[in-house]
Amino acid sequence: MLRVPSVLLTLAFFSLFAGTAFAQTPPPPESEAPATTLQVTARNVLLDVVVTDKQDKPVSGLRKEDFQVFEDGKPQTITFFEPAFPAAAGAAPAAPVPPLPPNTFTNVPAVAPNNAVNVLLMDALNTNMGDQAFVHREIVRYLASIPPGTRIGIFLLSEKLRIVQGITQDSTLLRASIARLAANPSQSALLPTPGEIDAQTGAVNMIMDQATANNSAQIQASATALQQFLAQQNTFELNARSVMTMEALQQIARYLAGIPGRKNLIWFLGSFPDCIATECPYIDEYKKTVDALADARVSVYPIDAKGIKINSMHDVENAHPPGLAANEQQAIAAQASSLRSDLNVDAINQGNMELLAKETGGKATYNGNDFKDALAADIDNGSRYYALAYTPADRRELGKERKIEIKTASGGYKLSYRRGYYEDSATKSKAAGTAAAKDPLRQLMDRGMPNFTELRYRENLAPARAQPAADAPRAGDNAALKAPFTRYSVNFSLATDGLTLLPGADGVRRGTIEVALVAYNQEGTPLNWGVRIIGLAIRPEQNAIAQASGIPFHFDFDLPPGDVYLRTGIYDASTSKAGTLELPLSSITDAR
């Protein structure tokens, strides 16, 4: 249901919204189709380069001439260069934003956001519960005083990937999200605890001791069979975690690809799946994952959630040493074996973290317990970079890997950047062309995306004074929406800045916008949705009012109870500009 003030707007037409996909404008009939033309395109490689000195401090003031880019060892011409550094700490603060009326919100932030977007990935799939709790406390410490303009989102990887908090600058929302996460901890069934691992080892050692004491080949065979079974089980669990982890990283890359600028994925994990970055059956999937992250301009900052810990033999979760040591020599041997095992696992974890960070232009952190400072350092590191672009001299696209190397005129700097990419195959190029034809606004409407502000608007959202009868038609395009629900009045006021409103011979300024509303639950599942194309028509005597107060229009929209998030968006196809705003329904006051 859509009501539009006739004094300012004329409704052009409706386009229905089916499933979770926005309706598309139908293609022109064949008689109107343009003639076939030959179009030659070339890849544009965009690189984010973090430059630090010997003290690991960011280096500013570099110019395009200070950089050299090589692809497969051959020099390339830099076609684009832009430093991306946040405003200095001593810069004058922005003018305070006047307070808004109750239940009124705007997509214009009080502080201009930094260029980079930060996503905190809380990994319950690969991290023990005790380490998760410590990470939560450290993040809350950091969020208590985040720098103005810092954009952060929170994801959770458990048996599946889900959004805990969408990307926002609001520290209060972020801390509340971490509190909810800490109140409902999760432990992956695929990740054995140190106590479980030691119990398994102890069971095998106990049977082996019995076999030795009784000189029994049968008991020895039982111990060997149990050992093989446990090894197979651990391999299965490790492989499952590897696949699920790579799928999650690819999902994050697809999700963040629609956000302009650099994205820093700060990943807290306790155990890096061995098969992720070493020669194994999944090495091709790993390469695909790294390429997806690089294409989306996502740099990975893994942080070892274990920090500095004592040997697992003395862990609080392991009350007894592995096996039944009959004497002091056996106890010493067991302890030495446990130490070697821990050191080997740590070395593999850290090596894989370093490799993934290097290939995506991030930084790995381990052997430390101050996660608050580590998080602050990573966000600061990823927010100060240089954006470079070049068109490869070799324009062939055969699906092969290409290596990238960047140098600076001064050799004393440390550079972090993506180390390569894979050429597009014919199948991938076709898929990219199909994706480009989709509704541009649809790509900005996913749950948890940052608010886009090229088109600025205010939005008043409150329960409607008159609620519909139970059998009334639904407001919104989800005909399957079940009662109970509440009808909300959504009143927009769209600023004319950024719009294309062309005056006609009659002096009326006209334009067309697309407006979308999507309601999600905490898991990111759409609950109700709607998209409309609205024709704008502003008469000369109304132009001053529109410029001063914005262009008003209204939606009625039905929303179910519970933890609901409403995301709205406006798109002007003539300028390719968009604005979006996401609100938790919990922020609405019922003023009926």
Side-chain angles (χ1 to χ4, degrees):
M1 184 180 300
L2 175 68
R3 293 182 293 176
V4 180
S6 58
V7 293
L8 287 183
L9 306 175
T10 58
L11 181 62
F13 58 92
F14 289 93
S15 61
L16 296 179
F17 186 69
T20 59
F22 286 83
Q24 305 295 312
T25 303
E30 291 185 7
S31 60
E32 300 178 14
T36 302
T37 59
L38 178 64
Q39 183 178 13
V40 179
T41 59
R43 172 189 289 271
N44 191 45
V45 181
L46 183 59
L47 303 169
D48 298 326
V49 187
V50 174
V51 184
T52 53
D53 60 20
K54 294 180 179 179
Q55 286 73 42
D56 210 25
K57 301 296 183 183
V59 176
S60 61
L62 298 182
R63 303 166 301 169
K64 181 172 74 171
E65 295 76 19
D66 295 319
F67 291 88
Q68 293 177 299
V69 179
F70 300 86
E71 183 177 279
D72 288 339
K74 298 178 181 179
Q76 306 293 315
T77 301
I78 298 174
T79 57
F80 172 80
F81 175 82
E82 183 178 66
F85 284 70
V97 178
L100 297 173
N103 294 337
T104 301
F105 309 89
T106 179
N107 68 332
V108 181
V111 178
N114 293 337
N115 292 317
V117 168
N118 305 283
V119 171
L120 310 186
L121 178 57
M122 319 301 296
D123 191 339
L125 178 65
N126 300 295
T127 309
N128 286 314
M129 197 175 297
D131 294 329
Q132 293 179 48
F134 183 67
V135 168
H136 294 162
R137 291 194 296 271
E138 289 290 286
I139 291 178
V140 168
R141 287 180 59 211
Y142 170 76
L143 294 175
S145 58
I146 60 175
T150 304
R151 293 184 290 176
I152 298 177
I154 303 172
F155 283 53
L156 173 66
L157 172 58
S158 185
E159 304 307 321
K160 63 178 181 178
L161 181 70
R162 70 180 180 91
I163 297 172
V164 176
Q165 171 59 53
I167 297 167
T168 180
Q169 299 179 53
D170 191 328
S171 175
T172 302
L173 286 177
L174 292 165
R175 292 200 304 271
S177 300
I178 291 293
R180 288 197 303 270
L181 193 62
N184 298 280
S186 60
Q187 172 74 45
S188 171
L190 296 172
L191 180 66
T193 66
E196 291 171 339
I197 294 174
D198 290 329
Q200 294 172 359
T201 304
V204 172
N205 289 345
M206 181 178 66
I207 298 175
M208 285 184 172
D209 287 345
Q210 292 177 349
T212 301
N214 295 283
N215 195 24
S216 171
Q218 184 176 1
I219 297 178
Q220 178 64 46
S222 298
T224 302
L226 177 59
Q227 195 171 34
Q228 291 175 345
F229 170 77
L230 293 175
Q232 291 173 353
Q233 182 182 25
N234 290 336
T235 299
F236 169 80
E237 292 172 347
L238 175 61
N239 289 345
R241 287 193 292 116
S242 297
V243 171
M244 294 170 67
T245 300
M246 286 186 285
E247 288 177 347
L249 293 177
Q250 291 174 28
Q251 289 179 40
I252 291 173
R254 288 192 294 270
Y255 177 85
L256 296 176
I259 303 173
R262 176 185 175 95
K263 279 77 69 173
N264 304 310
L265 177 60
I266 303 171
W267 180 13
F268 293 91
L269 73 163
S271 175
F272 204 111
D274 297 358
C275 234
I276 242 185
T278 55
E279 291 297 333
C280 69
Y282 308 115
I283 189 64
D284 290 338
E285 194 67 17
Y286 169 75
K287 292 178 179 179
K288 176 182 175 182
T289 302
V290 171
D291 200 44
L293 291 166
D295 282 346
R297 297 179 68 182
V298 178
S299 296
V300 183
Y301 288 76
I303 297 179
D304 188 348
K306 296 191 305 299
I308 301 175
K309 296 190 70 173
I310 60 175
N311 168 247
S312 64
M313 186 174 183
H314 306 291
D315 195 284
V316 292
E317 297 185 32
N318 181 25
H320 303 286
L324 296 179
N327 52 51
E328 186 177 351
Q329 289 183 342
Q330 285 182 314
I332 294 173
Q335 187 176 35
S337 175
S338 178
L339 285 169
R340 285 193 298 271
S341 176
D342 281 3
L343 291 173
N344 182 57
V345 169
D346 287 343
I348 293 174
N349 283 341
Q350 294 166 11
N352 286 338
M353 290 168 62
E354 288 282 4
L355 179 61
L356 182 60
K358 179 180 179 180
E359 291 184 335
T360 60
K363 178 170 68 74
T365 302
Y366 44 83
N367 291 338
N369 287 333
D370 195 342
F371 296 152
K372 172 181 176 292
D373 284 354
L375 177 55
D378 286 348
I379 289 180
D380 184 68
N381 177 276
S383 68
R384 305 172 190 274
Y385 62 95
Y386 297 88
L388 312 178
Y390 70 93
T391 299
D394 182 356
R395 299 190 178 185
R396 293 176 296 176
E397 295 280 356
L398 305 176
K400 297 181 180 179
E401 183 179 9
R402 297 197 188 186
K403 299 291 186 181
I404 297 173
E405 183 182 9
I406 301 178
K407 298 180 181 180
T408 57
S410 171
Y413 298 144
K414 177 182 177 182
L415 277 59
S416 300
Y417 56 91
R418 61 185 285 192
R419 300 293 169 153
Y421 68 92
Y422 287 86
E423 303 166 350
D424 287 343
S425 62
T427 301
K428 187 175 180 180
S429 297
K430 182 178 179 181
T434 302
K438 293 182 179 179
D439 184 348
L441 182 57
R442 171 65 186 90
Q443 303 174 49
L444 310 180
M445 292 298 294
D446 285 336
R447 157 92 171 95
M449 292 280 276
N451 294 329
F452 294 87
T453 60
E454 291 176 312
L455 297 182
R456 297 177 293 109
Y457 61 92
R458 289 186 178 186
E459 174 182 307
N460 181 272
L461 175 65
R465 293 186 180 277
Q467 290 296 309
D471 58 350
R474 300 290 185 263
D477 292 338
N478 182 11
L481 180 65
K482 304 295 184 183
F485 58 83
T486 301
R487 179 154 298 176
Y488 282 79
S489 293
V490 188
N491 294 291
F492 292 87
S493 179
L494 173 63
T496 56
D497 296 348
L499 289 175
T500 298
L501 299 172
L502 301 177
D506 56 359
V508 177
R509 296 177 178 271
R510 292 181 172 85
T512 302
I513 58 172
E514 179 182 359
V515 182
L517 297 88
V518 188
Y520 294 95
N521 64 11
Q522 177 68 45
E523 300 294 327
T525 303
L527 304 172
N528 198 7
W529 49 83
V531 61
R532 302 292 184 265
I533 305 298
I534 299 178
L536 308 179
I538 303 177
R539 298 192 299 272
E541 65 272 20
Q542 299 166 337
N543 189 48
I545 300 175
Q547 289 183 344
S549 304
I551 302 172
F553 50 95
H554 170 88
F555 280 84
D556 287 330
F557 203 57
D558 292 340
L559 297 173
D563 199 5
V564 177
Y565 298 80
L566 177 63
R567 188 169 184 86
T568 58
I570 302 176
Y571 179 72
D572 181 358
S574 61
T575 61
S576 299
K577 292 183 178 180
T580 61
L581 177 61
E582 183 173 309
L583 299 170
L585 214 59
S586 58
S587 62
I588 307 303
T589 302
D590 190 342
R592 286 177 292 172

